[in-house]
Amino acid sequence: PTERPNIIHILLDGYPGQDVLASELDFDNSAFTNALKERGFIVGADVRTSYNQTSLVMAAVFAGSYLNTTAEPLTETSMERLRMTLGKVVSQGSLKQRLRDQGYSFLTTESGYYFFQPGPDDALTSPDFGWQSLNFFEENLLAKLLPLMPEFSNVQLRFIRYRAAKFNAYLRHAVSTDAYMQLSPPYHYFAHLLAPHPPFVIDRNGEDWEIWMDTFGTLLDSSNAHQMDPVKQVAYREGFLEKLRYVNATLIPYLDQLIATVPSPRIIIIHGDHGSGTHFDQDDVATSCLKERFAPLLAVYADDPGLREVFADIQNERFNIVNLYRMIADQNFGTDMGQLEDRSWFTTWEDARNPT
């Protein structure tokens, strides 16, 4: 095994690959991918994800295996408990234990996605909201109650604006923090950015954006947000691309910062968990554009020649992101797991326990 690399793992929630952006959203993203290549990133040409929901995808990535439908956590009866358990696979599962045994320290960013909580030995970096910030349970309660009380419509609007500002603060912090510089190598830094995934409440210049706050001001995605309504789908595309432009503009200088300040050897992984949801129905595979959802972005920077060689094939061959940490472990930690075959499953939002 080679020297243990510092691992920077940047999850861009809902970020599709360049081909999908071109064919399904009529957007040329080559300026961004070319900027990645100019900085030494290897950009995947034919990338696949294993599932269509964040918690399922990332549990598989961090476990390095597809999920067993007859065992925990997919046997959980409650969808909220299921997603919480999947989140623990990310924060406290086998990968974290393997890295812990190798002497790694850990840092994670707070994103506003409740199901990814930091592990017990993770440092957490987050914007300082002060005493005025509500916790998840308070926000969740208000999100459920206020729509049922039309007489409090002004309060509901203020609450939506509050949550939008909070999501934007998480995002701005994630593309500027230098908290990783306080860690002792080797370290694992996991940054989950809720972008370009909804909410669509930030414009390309990083300003708070209210144009579609009522429709796309929450974490609801794809048909859960636009109901497959053609007018709303057009709005979804515009909001999605506006947020994507912000991510592109801010991520490149942040990557320059990381490359300049993270000690070698290091590997920087950037990927989407799934693609966008303009033409995706959370409840019906038959009416969904699977290409849009199952072909995310993947880019890998590695200054270790062995790791670069391992990932070089993603430029030419199909690659499923479930294999990311399997490849790193084989190269750096002496394992011999190899790659799993490329497989993908569709799950409905209300019953993620039964992938098909």
Side-chain angles (χ1 to χ4, degrees), residues 12 15 32 171 175 193-196 204 242-253:
L12 301 179
Y15 203 118
F32 177 68
L171 182 54
V175 292
L193 281 63
L194 279 169
R204 68 189 67 188
E242 191 74 11
K243 194 170 187 179
L244 182 139
R245 289 182 175 98
Y246 171 73
V247 173
N248 288 0
T250 55
L251 189 60
I252 291 299

Side-chain angles (χ1 to χ4, degrees), residues 44-331:
D46 188 14
V47 180
R48 292 293 181 270
T49 187
S50 47
Y51 303 95
N52 54 284
Q53 295 184 31
T54 300
S55 56
L56 293 165
V57 172
M58 296 312 297
V61 168
F62 273 71
S65 63
Y66 299 117
L67 304 176
N68 186 342
T69 58
T70 62
E72 291 185 350
L74 293 188
T75 54
E76 292 279 9
T77 56
S78 157
M79 287 300 96
E80 183 165 335
R81 283 178 57 85
L82 168 65
R83 293 184 174 104
M84 287 295 297
T85 306
L86 290 167
K88 288 181 180 178
V89 176
V90 173
S91 64
Q92 303 175 40
S94 58
L95 172 67
K96 295 294 283 292
Q97 185 58 54
R98 183 186 299 277
L99 293 175
R100 190 179 296 112
D101 292 344
Q102 294 286 333
Y104 277 76
S105 53
F106 303 97
L107 174 70
T108 187
T109 59
E110 190 168 4
S111 66
Y113 184 73
Y114 178 70
F115 300 111
F116 288 171
Q117 295 294 313
D121 51 359
D122 287 9
L124 179 68
T125 179
S126 176
D128 182 9
F129 296 111
W131 63 270
Q132 295 179 324
S133 178
L134 301 174
N135 63 38
F136 170 80
F137 298 103
E138 293 166 339
E139 290 183 6
N140 201 37
L141 180 62
L142 285 173
K144 291 177 179 178
L145 291 180
L146 286 174
L148 304 177
M149 299 183 289
E151 65 271 22
F152 291 103
S153 59
N154 288 338
V155 177
Q156 183 177 3
L157 180 59
R158 289 175 59 193
F159 176 65
I160 292 173
R161 285 174 173 161
Y162 157 81
R163 293 192 80 188
K166 196 170 180 180
F167 281 125
N168 288 346
Y170 285 134
L171 182 54
R172 295 185 190 106
H173 179 78
V175 292
S176 61
T177 182
D178 61 359
Y180 61 89
M181 296 176 70
Q182 306 303 314
L183 300 174
S184 298
Y187 54 77
H188 181 273
Y189 168 31
F190 177 52
H192 177 201
L193 281 63
L194 279 169
H197 190 285
F200 301 148
V201 290
I202 194 167
D203 69 13
R204 68 189 67 188
N205 300 313
E207 300 297 326
D208 292 348
W209 202 39
E210 296 192 6
I211 186 170
W212 289 305
M213 192 170 288
D214 289 344
T215 308
F216 302 116
T218 72
L219 293 180
L220 292 178
D221 189 26
S222 56
S223 62
N224 287 343
H226 55 57
Q227 294 85 46
M228 304 302 285
D229 178 319
V231 174
K232 291 182 179 179
Q233 285 174 301
V234 170
Y236 177 100
R237 173 187 175 277
E238 187 170 342
F240 182 91
L241 293 177
E242 191 74 11
K243 194 170 187 179
L244 182 139
R245 289 182 175 98
Y246 171 73
V247 173
N248 288 0
T250 55
L251 189 60
I252 291 299
Y254 189 57
L255 293 175
D256 289 339
Q257 173 185 314
L258 291 171
I259 292 169
T261 56
V262 175
S264 296
R266 63 271 177 96
I267 179 169
I268 304 173
I269 305 165
I270 306 167
H271 71 93
D273 48 346
H274 52 71
S276 49
T278 313
H279 309 291
F280 190 77
D281 190 334
Q282 294 274 16
D283 300 312
D284 189 354
V285 66
T287 58
S288 294
C289 177
L290 299 182
K291 177 183 177 182
E292 180 184 8
R293 195 67 169 186
F294 282 89
L297 171 77
L298 171 63
V300 178
Y301 174 97
D303 55 8
D304 173 76
L307 269 176
R308 283 196 65 82
E309 183 178 354
V310 163
F311 280 100
D313 286 344
I314 70 172
Q315 300 171 100
N316 308 302
E317 299 177 3
R318 176 168 291 187
F319 181 81
N320 194 300
I321 60 174
V322 73
N323 290 303
L324 281 169
Y325 282 105
R326 296 174 71 91
M327 295 173 69
I328 293 172
D330 283 359
Q331 177 65 24

